Amino acid sequence: MNFLRGVMGGQPAGPQPTGAETIHKLCDRVASSTLLEDRRDAVRALKSLSKKYRGEVGTQAMEHLIHILQTDRSDSEIIGYALDTLYNIISNDGEEEEQDESEDGASSGPGKQSSKPVSEESSHKQSDDLGTQFTEIFIKDQENVTLLLSLLEEFDFHVRWPGVKLLTALLKNQCPQVQGVILVSPMGVSRLMDLLADSREVIRNDGLLLLQQLTKGNAAIQKIVAFENAFERLLDIITEEGNSDGGIVVEDCLLLLQHLLKNNSSNQNFFKEGSYIQRMKPWFEVGDDNSGWSAQKVTNLHLMLQLVRVMVSPVNSPGATSSCQKSMYQCGLLQQLCTILMATGVPADILTETINTVSEVIRGSQVNQDYFASVNAPSNPPRPAIVVLLMSMVNERQPFVLRCAVLYCFQCFLYKNQKGQGEIVATLLPSTIDANSISAGQLLCGGLFSTDSLSNWCAAVALAHALQDNLTQKEQLLRVQLATSLGNPPVSLLQQCTNILSQGDKISRRGSKVQTRVGLLMLLCTWISNCPIAVTHFLHNQANIPFLTGQISENLGEDERLVQGLCALLLGICIYYNDNSLENYTKEKLKQLIEKRIGKENFVEKLGFVNKHELYSRAAQKPQPTFSSPEQMLFDHEFTKLVKELEVVITKTVHKSSEEEKKEEEVKKTLEQHDSIVTQYKELIREQDTQINELKEQVSSLKAQNEQMQATAAQQLSQIQQHKDQYNVLKLKLGKDSQQLGAPAEGTHVNGLQSEELGRLREEVDDLRKQQDLLQAQLSEKDALIDSLKSGAASPMEGSSGSSAENSVDLLKASPTAEDSSLQEHWKNSRALLSSLRCLQFSCKACLRVLVQRFNFPFA
């Protein structure tokens, strides 16, 4: 019968081998077979058994599989089987999927009940422990991880894809250890970054999941990945996939970007400097019809908003946050977010996250805050966005998370924004109230006196932020008057707050009554702190101090302890900032009242109830109000700073005696005098410093001029020395030439002239002198002859009569002789010759002078 069963294909005869035995035989085949086909078949069989017999395969076959990876790299098929097998025994994902499928099958069977294991959580824990143990065995030898990284360089799909999955599983189980190995591996991170450039989407997408695990909590790897051009590649993938309309790949890219940027100032700066913030703007482009968004789009947009918040988070350094805020405004990203804020049909969770994002983009940035104040909602008539948001905050029908987001937005709008604080307070003043429109101040007052405790708390905290660190607005808010009822005079806002506080349980409210009182007490503490005028107004109401002392001295329940602590804080502020302008409520009298009615130790104990509250430390951690339920909404972040600042000084003030206070006042006055003297000396020193600086500048300029003149003089001296040297050289050379030649000979030069030319010039001069002497002698003879002729002609004329003499003279004049004419002509010629000689003499003298001056001619 057993034979027939074997022939017919039934169960073989004899006992069947167990799974462990089969795995043992397969491992032997892998280790001992010489043929590649046999080893490949054995590894394939191990892969098929690895999910069902995970522990056995991991225990017996891991060493053999690692050996296959080392020795059979030439065969991609067996490498792929080995990697798949290792993934199945190390990963915990596969077993969870099998359990889900088995549970679904058991529940879907007709007439069968779902048989879930009793200890399902323990089985999951055992599975996780098994994967962790196998991971530790694998990474114990760091060369195994290095080997896996080298296998990722293979382009073959059957090698690369299982390698990516295996490395991801290792990172999930033992992330820090595997990160350390990859970090010290040469080009380890670069090889993983190459996965993003793979054309096969499966590998690229699993590469994204791998990088998510790799960059988790490791700043060094995050920096390396960022500088491997990760931002550019991820943003390109997001754009290719359709931005917010993309699929789960966009979600994976956004998660990886968050890992790279969150709490990493270096990567944040690199992201900003690389102009990647500008590339985020198209993500938030929405149309007019925003209904029917898919769940994936909502998830993508939610992650995109969170990514913006990472860049401007209050926990970042102020300089980096301010720079990112400026870039977001300049590129239009803030304007795009405000468009989503005022759009219709946007899902509630996206609207809430958008409000939180806008809050942190404008927080502490004056330019962004001014822009947000100018945004109007698309209503008729248009209303400021701030007013529309405050309407949602004080509306108890709105979701709780949305109201918290609006409160956070209002707080961020007023953070370090004295201009905005003044605009909010101005809407409450009588001179600026417009009866035809709803203002922010009216909404805050309406919420402050509403019957909804959550609206009371939100409005009180919002109004306290309008007064934060702004003494001017604290004094301005004292002018606000409220109409209570017909026929009764108006009361101040401060008085109305104390009235509501004193009524307490008499007013029926929706929600926690403690919440309303805590909100009002926080508002009053913020209002009168560091404002003596507000303290005086508060003390002017005779009922306020008895109410506070009564609240502090009573033994109330656990819920009322916080109210007692805040009342003690308010009373302490009235003492510390008291200017003693009211005789009945001076500092000393208030301290005596505490000592008689409450007791100093009891007062300090009640004051300590505030910072010991469990919700106090939670609110002090970050500015954003995040509460799981409305009942936990008790403390504001900025108020916790005020408590921390005032608690110590109030305790010291209460314990001080009057004598100590007098001494302190005297010391203060002395210190003030010293401060004034020091201030005067500081001003004198500043003036002297200014004068010294001016003199230093003058000295430096004079030094510069002196150095310049010295340089010029040195240059001129060097030039003169050069000329002297050249002159001496020429002079020496000329002297040597004269010594060698002796007397001037033919062909020699004297001062640039040849000796022949000098001789010729001398002869011409001598000839000219001789001619001059000769002509001068002839001229003298002619002059003597003329004189003798004149005297001879005059003597015969004197002896004759006058008439005859006159006749002879007329005769001589009328008829001159030929000799006289020749004499006159000769005299004229002599005169002309004399003139020409004188000109020649003058030219000769000039020529001789030039020769003497230029060539040192050897005669005078």
Side-chain angles (χ1 to χ4, degrees):
M1 185 66 82
N2 291 334
F3 175 76
L4 290 175
R5 286 177 182 171
V7 173
M8 298 300 293
Q11 292 293 330
Q16 297 294 320
T18 61
E21 294 174 349
T22 304
I23 293 169
H24 182 70
K25 291 179 181 179
L26 292 172
C27 290
D28 289 340
R29 287 180 60 186
V30 172
S32 60
S33 296
T34 57
L35 294 177
L36 180 61
E37 291 79 4
D38 293 343
R39 294 197 302 274
R40 187 190 303 135
D41 293 339
V43 175
R44 186 191 297 115
L46 287 173
K47 174 190 171 185
S48 62
L49 295 172
S50 59
K51 289 186 178 180
K52 186 176 182 180
Y53 300 100
R54 181 182 177 189
E56 291 80 357
V57 174
T59 305
Q60 300 183 38
M62 180 176 287
E63 184 178 352
H64 302 295
L65 294 172
I66 294 173
H67 184 70
I68 290 292
L69 296 179
Q70 294 171 348
T71 57
D72 291 332
R73 292 190 60 172
S74 60
D75 187 69
S76 60
E77 190 174 358
I78 192 172
I79 295 294
Y81 291 148
L83 291 172
D84 282 330
T85 307
L86 288 171
Y87 171 74
N88 289 337
I89 63 178
I90 288 176
S91 174
N92 298 318
D93 298 337
E95 187 165 327
E96 292 176 0
E97 292 174 1
E98 282 188 357
Q99 289 179 358
D100 294 339
E101 291 175 359
S102 63
E103 290 173 6
D104 294 340
S107 61
S108 61
K112 296 182 181 180
Q113 296 180 352
S114 60
S115 56
K116 292 185 179 180
V118 178
S119 59
E120 185 176 353
E121 293 182 359
S122 62
S123 64
H124 280 296
K125 186 176 181 182
Q126 291 176 359
S127 174
D128 294 343
D129 292 342
L130 192 61
T132 304
Q133 291 173 7
F134 287 141
T135 302
E136 290 176 353
I137 295 171
F138 185 85
I139 67 174
K140 188 175 182 180
D141 186 1
Q142 295 186 1
E143 292 298 325
N144 295 335
V145 180
T146 306
L147 175 63
L148 184 56
L149 289 172
S150 64
L151 288 173
L152 292 179
E153 294 181 351
E154 298 290 338
F155 188 74
D156 194 310
F157 179 81
H158 297 91
V159 176
R160 204 171 205 185
W161 187 39
V164 171
K165 293 194 296 181
L166 176 57
L167 188 56
T168 305
L170 292 173
L171 285 166
K172 285 182 179 179
N173 295 334
Q174 293 289 339
C175 189
Q177 292 83 347
V178 180
Q179 284 176 336
V181 177
I182 295 174
L183 192 59
V184 299
S185 177
M187 299 296 292
V189 179
S190 300
R191 292 171 182 170
L192 300 180
M193 285 298 299
D194 292 338
L195 298 174
L196 296 182
D198 201 305
S199 58
R200 294 160 294 192
E201 291 188 1
V202 176
I203 295 179
R204 184 197 67 182
N205 298 343
D206 282 351
L208 289 171
L209 300 177
L210 170 60
L211 290 172
Q212 286 181 22
Q213 296 296 328
L214 179 66
T215 56
K216 190 178 292 184
N218 193 308
I221 293 180
Q222 290 169 1
K223 292 178 182 178
I224 296 173
V225 171
F227 282 97
E228 288 285 345
N229 206 22
F231 294 140
E232 185 76 28
R233 296 184 184 182
L234 293 173
L235 292 175
D236 288 341
I237 294 173
I238 292 173
T239 304
E240 292 170 2
E241 295 291 328
N243 294 329
S244 61
D245 293 324
I248 195 171
V249 178
V250 174
E251 179 181 350
D252 292 337
C253 291
L254 293 170
L255 289 172
L256 179 54
L257 284 171
Q258 284 193 17
H259 287 174
L260 294 175
L261 293 172
K262 196 169 186 179
N263 299 324
N264 194 318
S265 58
S266 175
N267 283 1
Q268 289 175 5
N269 185 60
F270 182 65
F271 190 85
K272 179 186 70 68
E273 295 296 335
S275 300
Y276 296 118
I277 291 178
Q278 288 80 344
R279 296 187 60 178
M280 299 169 70
K281 181 185 175 183
W283 295 354
F284 305 103
E285 293 178 354
V286 296
D288 297 332
D289 185 14
N290 298 308
S291 59
W293 284 9
S294 64
Q296 187 62 55
K297 180 172 182 177
V298 173
T299 302
N300 292 343
L301 203 54
H302 198 273
L303 290 172
M304 290 171 177
L305 291 168
Q306 288 182 350
L307 192 62
V308 176
R309 294 184 65 185
V310 166
M311 298 297 297
V312 292
S313 174
V315 301
N316 298 342
S317 63
T321 300
S322 176
S323 179
C324 291
Q325 289 172 334
K326 182 179 179 181
S327 298
M328 290 178 182
Y329 173 75
Q330 291 176 347
C331 73
L333 181 58
L334 175 60
Q335 294 84 330
Q336 203 69 43
L337 293 173
C338 291
T339 303
I340 298 177
L341 199 65
M342 296 292 105
T344 57
V346 178
D349 53 347
I350 294 298
L351 181 60
T352 303
E353 191 64 23
T354 304
I355 294 173
N356 289 326
T357 305
V358 171
S359 305
E360 294 182 352
V361 173
I362 67 174
R363 187 176 189 269
S365 174
Q366 188 65 53
V367 176
N368 294 6
Q369 289 167 341
D370 292 343
Y371 171 77
F372 182 71
S374 65
V375 175
N376 289 322
S379 59
N380 192 12
R383 290 175 178 170
I386 298 175
V387 173
V388 176
L389 292 175
L390 288 177
M391 291 172 68
S392 301
M393 186 186 75
V394 298
N395 186 355
E396 55 185 301
R397 296 180 181 178
Q398 294 293 337
F400 173 66
V401 290
L402 179 63
R403 298 174 74 180
C404 291
V406 173
L407 176 61
Y408 184 46
C409 184
F410 191 73
Q411 292 173 351
C412 291
F413 170 68
L414 297 178
Y415 182 71
K416 293 183 179 180
N417 183 10
Q418 293 192 352
K419 178 183 176 183
Q421 290 175 327
E423 292 173 354
I424 297 298
V425 173
T427 59
L428 289 165
L429 299 179
S431 59
T432 58
I433 293 178
D434 186 2
N436 297 324
S437 62
I438 300 176
S439 65
Q442 293 173 3
L443 291 171
L444 290 177
C445 284
L448 194 62
F449 308 128
S450 170
T451 56
D452 176 37
S453 61
L454 186 58
S455 297
N456 300 153
W457 191 91
C458 291
V461 171
L463 195 56
H465 276 262
L467 306 175
Q468 196 77 37
D469 300 327
N470 196 327
L471 180 61
T472 303
Q473 302 310 322
K474 291 178 181 180
E475 296 176 356
Q476 287 291 322
L477 200 63
L478 296 172
R479 298 170 48 201
V480 177
Q481 300 290 323
L482 302 175
T484 54
S485 59
L486 294 175
N488 293 327
V491 297
S492 65
L493 177 60
L494 181 66
Q495 183 61 44
Q496 186 65 13
C497 290
T498 56
N499 291 341
I500 296 174
L501 186 63
S502 60
Q503 290 175 3
D505 299 336
K506 298 178 182 179
I507 301 176
S508 60
R509 299 182 185 278
R510 292 180 295 276
S512 173
K513 295 180 180 179
V514 174
Q515 192 175 45
T516 299
R517 300 170 72 185
V518 168
L520 289 171
L521 284 168
M522 287 196 298
L523 172 61
L524 290 173
C525 289
T526 306
W527 192 346
I528 70 173
S529 65
N530 200 22
C531 184
I533 297 177
V535 172
T536 303
H537 277 73
F538 181 79
L539 296 176
H540 191 71
N541 187 353
Q542 302 293 329
N544 289 338
I545 296 301
F547 167 74
L548 293 178
T549 54
Q551 288 288 318
I552 299 169
S553 59
E554 289 183 6
N555 293 322
L556 302 176
E558 189 73 22
D559 296 338
E560 297 290 333
R561 280 190 171 187
L562 179 58
V563 176
Q564 285 184 312
L566 291 173
C567 288
L569 179 66
L570 183 60
L571 183 56
I573 292 172
C574 292
I575 296 173
Y576 185 71
Y577 291 106
N578 194 339
D579 59 357
N580 297 325
S581 58
L582 294 177
E583 185 179 355
N584 295 330
Y585 294 108
T586 60
K587 284 185 178 182
E588 186 61 30
K589 290 185 177 180
L590 288 176
K591 286 197 293 185
Q592 293 175 0
L593 185 64
I594 289 175
E595 189 173 1
K596 292 179 181 178
R597 298 278 182 90
I598 304 170
K600 292 183 178 180
E601 299 299 329
N602 189 24
F603 177 83
V604 173
E605 181 184 359
K606 297 294 177 67
L607 182 63
F609 287 164
V610 178
N611 61 8
K612 292 178 182 178
H613 198 278
E614 58 180 353
L615 297 177
Y616 175 89
S617 58
R618 189 182 304 176
Q621 292 176 358
K622 56 183 180 179
Q624 183 181 2
T626 53
F627 307 99
S628 57
S629 63
E631 290 76 17
Q632 295 184 350
M633 206 172 194
L634 290 178
F635 284 103
D636 174 58
H637 177 76
E638 293 295 330
F639 181 73
T640 59
K641 294 181 180 179
L642 182 66
V643 173
K644 186 177 180 180
E645 177 186 346
L646 293 177
E647 184 179 8
V648 177
V649 295
I650 289 174
T651 303
K652 291 181 179 179
T653 303
V654 171
H655 280 293
K656 287 176 185 175
S657 62
S658 59
E659 295 179 356
E660 292 176 347
E661 283 195 352
K662 289 180 180 178
K663 290 181 180 179
E664 282 194 357
E665 288 180 358
E666 292 177 357
V667 171
K668 284 183 179 179
K669 290 180 181 178
T670 306
L671 290 175
E672 288 177 356
Q673 292 176 358
H674 285 300
D675 289 341
S676 63
I677 295 172
V678 170
T679 303
Q680 293 176 1
Y681 277 115
K682 284 182 178 179
E683 292 177 355
L684 179 62
I685 290 170
R686 288 194 193 96
E687 293 177 358
Q688 292 177 350
D689 285 340
T690 305
Q691 294 176 359
I692 290 171
N693 291 330
E694 291 177 355
L695 292 174
K696 284 182 178 180
E697 291 177 357
Q698 292 179 3
V699 170
S700 61
S701 63
L702 291 174
K703 282 183 178 180
Q705 292 177 3
N706 186 22
E707 291 175 356
Q708 186 177 2
M709 293 174 67
Q710 287 180 355
T712 305
Q715 186 179 3
Q716 291 178 352
L717 288 173
S718 64
Q719 291 178 356
I720 291 171
Q721 188 64 35
Q722 290 177 1
H723 291 313
K724 285 183 177 180
D725 294 340
Q726 292 176 1
Y727 172 75
N728 292 330
V729 169
L730 292 173
K731 189 174 180 181
L732 289 172
K733 187 176 180 181
L734 187 61
K736 289 180 180 179
D737 293 341
S738 61
Q739 289 176 3
Q740 291 176 359
L741 296 176
E746 289 188 9
T748 61
H749 291 75
V750 179
N751 290 334
L753 296 175
Q754 294 183 358
S755 57
E756 296 177 352
E757 294 177 352
L758 291 175
R760 182 172 53 81
L761 289 173
R762 286 193 186 97
E763 292 176 355
E764 290 178 357
V765 170
D766 293 334
D767 292 340
L768 291 173
R769 282 180 178 176
K770 291 178 181 179
Q771 291 178 7
Q772 182 181 3
D773 294 336
L774 179 62
L775 293 173
Q776 191 72 28
Q778 292 177 359
L779 182 61
S780 300
E781 291 177 358
K782 297 293 183 184
D783 288 335
L785 180 60
I786 292 169
D787 292 333
S788 63
L789 290 173
K790 287 181 178 179
S791 61
S795 57
M797 293 168 62
E798 291 177 359
S800 61
S801 59
S803 58
S804 62
E806 291 176 0
N807 293 330
S808 62
V809 171
D810 292 335
L811 179 63
L812 286 172
K813 289 182 180 180
S815 58
T817 61
E819 187 177 1
D820 292 336
S821 299
S822 63
L823 286 174
Q824 290 179 359
E825 185 67 28
H826 185 68
W827 183 79
K828 289 180 182 179
N829 293 334
S830 298
R831 287 290 182 185
L833 179 59
L834 181 61
S835 298
S836 62
L837 286 173
R838 287 176 179 173
C839 290
L840 180 60
Q841 185 182 9
F842 178 77
S843 62
C844 289
K845 288 182 179 180
C847 183
L848 288 173
R849 193 181 296 110
V850 171
L851 289 172
V852 171
Q853 290 179 355
R854 183 174 180 183
F855 303 106
N856 295 325
F857 201 71
F859 51 84

